[in-house]
Every structure is written in structure tokens, then in C-alpha cells.
Amino acid sequence: MKRRTIMKTGLIATAMAFGLTATTAFAETVTLRMSTWLPPKHNHVAVVLPTWIAAIEEASGGTLKIKIDPAPIAKPPGQYDVVRDGAADMSYHVVAYTPGPFEILRGAELPFLSPSAEVGSQAAYDWYDRNIGFDKEFKDVKIITMFVHGPGAIHTKEPVKTLEDLAGVKLRVGGGGVRMAEALGATPVAMPASKAYEAIQKGVADGAMLPFESIAGFRIDELLDYHLEIPGGLYTTPFAVMMNPAKFDSLSDAHKKVLTDLGGVTGAKMLGKGWDDGDELGRKAAMEQNGVFYTLEGAELAKWKEKIAFMDAAWIEKADAAGLDGAALLEDLRATMAKYSK
């Protein structure tokens, strides 16, 4: 059996384990349109989303379908607007690509928090839903579920094992990684992950801060030979899986229930597990290119933690400014990660 078939079977089995079986209590067939921005061969678009969508279709007795757009209709930072304005029914939005509106959810990005996408996705959804509620920062869209990718690592042209090795390295980072890269001594080059290959190929960047899944998804294995893994990740990006509110309201109660049942923590687990499988594909791709792997640990790990400890403090300050107890929220997030790690 091919690996992708195994992945699909496993994820659908996860859905069925929650008692989400097909039913005939549905009205007419509805097809929802999902906007995308990742390349079609990327694991998330080729395997993970279709597997989740297949579970939704099965649970609806074949009457609720989701069709992924064949090509992007907006750049990654524009996905929220696409759904809010009704240009697409659904999409997945990287909250770090639009700094400002989603600062509390971005607590899930903090370093050394998430041991895997499956754990981090469930924990982030649970924590945010209980403590904040998605109607606060996502008032213009309907959140179906959310997920995070695997632990963020560093991939470079030359070996990086210490802070000294990282000094001056031009490092592709996402929206939330600029201050982190600077504090670690690197030179940040901020851009969406989809632009990383071109930037590295042209010498604009010497490496990238990305999860392992992106090594295969964006063909980074063709350009970078050295891979530094960080326990819990230097970061982990939250993705909000969202729907146009008017479109959601137009669905039958039975279809709403399918999306609710296969959304939330259940959807987070499925999508997170898919990204973990993608991380393994990325590691395999790097190995096939004779990539060299290192792990940050011990005294060196402690040095990195000290350098970027300000990030926790900065997020706590933002949460406090929003009228929340930032320190207590971060403590609860860590406890929730530990809960799902078991």
C-alpha cells in the first residue's frame, strides 16, 4: 500500500473513531469552494486537505463536498479577506502573515512549545477556544478548525550548530520570525514560505526557518544540505481554517453538524497528524539528498532559550494590554500542550 493511501486511511479512521458515520439525514448536495495558496503537489494540498475533505463527504453521505481551487486567487496574506468577502467559501489563513489582528492566537507560535503538529494543533484550538473564543479575533469569518505545522527548524547551506554558526546568516523567516532571527544573530529575510526556494536559489537567503514538511513541499532539499532540529520548535505557525459566515449560515443543520463534528479539536487532530506525516516525508527527502542533521540540546539549547526569552514576555505584555492575564494564559497553553502530549 502506498504511503499516501496509508495516510488517508489513518486520518479517515480518526474521524470515524469519533462516531462520525455517514447519515441519510441531509438535503440537497452542496459543494463548497476552498481557496488555496500552496502549490498543488504540496502535501497539505495533495494529501492532508483532501483526506479531511473525504471524511466530511463520507460523514455527510456524499452530500457535502469541498472543492479546492486549482490555482490561487490571492496571495497568502489575502486569504482572510477572500473568505470574509465571499470570493471563496473557505480557506486556511496563516495568522502570522497579517500581523496585528490575531495577536492572542499567535501565542501558539512561541518557541519550544509544540512537540508535534498533532499535539500542537489540538492544544492550540482547545486553549484558544476555552480562554478567548474565536469570535474575538476572527469576528468576520466562521472558524471551522485550526492547526499548526510541525516544530520549526533551521535549514542552511552551511552547518549551523551554535549561535556563532548562525551569526550573519541570511535566514528566510515568516511574519513572526524577524525579531527572533535578529536576537539569534541571523539576518532575517521575511517572506511567505512559498517564496523561499527562489530566494535561496538567487542568494537572497542562505537558509530558511521552516518545518521539515516544507523541505519536500517547497523542494528545499535541492538547495540546502544542513538541518538543525529544535525540541518543541523555534516556532510553530497557526493556520485558521475558516468559512464565510453567510455561506455557513445557509447550510442545513445536518451539514453544519458535519463541519462542527469534523472541525474543532477533531479536525485539528486530523490536520495536525497529516502535517506530521508531511514532516517525515520532508526528512526522507533531505536524507535522500544526503542531508546532514543536527539537534540543538544541552548548554547550547539553553543559550538559544535565553536569547529569545523576550518573546514570551512580549506576548504576555500584549495579552495584558488586551485585558487578559498573559502569564496565566501562557501557563495554561503549556499545560494544554502537556495534556495532549500524553
Side-chain angles (χ1 to χ4, degrees):
M1 184 181 291
K2 292 183 179 179
R3 183 177 182 83
R4 286 187 175 181
T5 303
I6 294 171
M7 290 167 64
K8 289 183 179 181
T9 302
L11 289 176
I12 292 176
T14 298
M16 297 304 108
F18 283 83
L20 304 171
T21 55
T23 174
T24 58
F26 296 97
E28 63 184 274
T29 297
V30 174
T31 300
L32 302 174
R33 178 181 161 210
M34 174 174 274
S35 175
T36 187
W37 53 270
L38 287 164
K41 292 185 178 180
H42 190 284
N43 187 64
H44 184 62
V45 177
V47 179
V48 181
L49 277 176
T51 302
W52 181 64
I53 290 168
I56 288 170
E57 186 170 342
E58 183 171 345
S60 72
T63 64
L64 183 58
K65 303 176 185 294
I66 301 173
K67 183 178 180 181
I68 302 174
D69 280 350
I73 61 171
K75 295 180 180 179
Q79 296 301 312
Y80 186 91
D81 295 345
V82 161
V83 172
R84 179 196 63 197
D85 298 340
D89 299 320
M90 302 178 73
S91 190
Y92 49 96
H93 184 62
V94 180
V95 300
Y97 287 172
T98 49
F102 314 112
E103 294 304 308
I104 306 306
L105 178 55
R106 291 185 66 188
E109 294 177 15
L110 291 171
F112 316 112
L113 269 179
S114 180
S116 70
E118 184 175 0
V119 168
S121 297
Q122 294 175 90
Y125 186 95
D126 181 350
W127 166 78
Y128 190 83
D129 189 42
R130 279 188 295 103
N131 289 291
I132 309 300
F134 285 96
D135 58 335
K136 301 295 192 298
E137 293 186 304
F138 295 88
K139 57 183 180 294
D140 300 315
V141 298
K142 167 70 176 177
I143 297 298
I144 303 301
T145 187
M146 65 162 291
F147 60 94
V148 303
H149 61 50
I154 290 179
H155 315 276
T156 48
K157 292 180 179 179
E158 301 295 334
V160 170
K161 295 183 283 184
T162 67
L163 286 174
E164 290 74 19
D165 294 336
L166 191 61
V169 173
K170 294 179 291 184
L171 200 62
R172 175 272 160 192
V173 298
V178 173
R179 292 184 66 199
M180 176 193 292
E182 290 175 339
L184 293 172
T187 301
V189 183
M191 65 183 68
S194 54
K195 300 293 185 182
Y197 185 95
E198 182 181 5
I200 296 164
Q201 187 180 48
K202 292 183 175 180
V204 175
D206 305 315
M209 193 183 295
L210 289 167
F212 266 90
E213 177 275 336
S214 296
I215 297 302
F218 297 112
R219 298 162 39 225
I220 303 298
D221 56 299
E222 298 176 6
L223 304 174
L224 302 177
D225 296 325
Y226 298 95
H227 310 279
L228 180 64
E229 300 193 61
I230 296 96
L234 272 182
Y235 75 107
T236 181
T237 297
F239 294 67
V241 180
M242 56 197 177
M243 187 169 177
N244 179 270
K247 189 66 177 181
F248 182 84
D249 290 342
S250 74
L251 297 176
S252 68
D253 289 344
H255 283 161
K256 288 177 183 175
K257 185 176 188 303
V258 169
L259 288 175
T260 300
D261 288 348
L262 275 166
V265 172
T266 301
K269 178 181 178 65
M270 292 179 68
L271 295 170
K273 175 63 167 60
W275 276 65
D276 285 336
D277 291 339
D279 273 354
E280 291 309 307
L281 293 177
R283 285 190 181 88
K284 181 179 178 182
M287 289 175 184
E288 289 174 351
Q289 294 283 1
N290 297 315
V292 180
F293 295 77
Y294 306 110
T295 300
L296 195 63
E297 54 191 357
E300 188 63 30
L301 174 59
K303 287 166 61 176
W304 288 52
K305 286 186 173 182
E306 183 179 356
K307 284 286 185 181
I308 55 178
F310 73 90
M311 296 187 70
D312 288 359
W315 181 84
I316 288 171
E317 185 177 342
K318 286 181 180 179
D320 288 347
L324 303 166
D325 185 339
L329 277 175
L330 183 53
E331 182 179 355
D332 186 67
L333 177 55
R334 290 194 176 105
T336 308
M337 290 282 182
K339 167 189 167 183
Y340 284 100
S341 294
K342 297 176 182 178

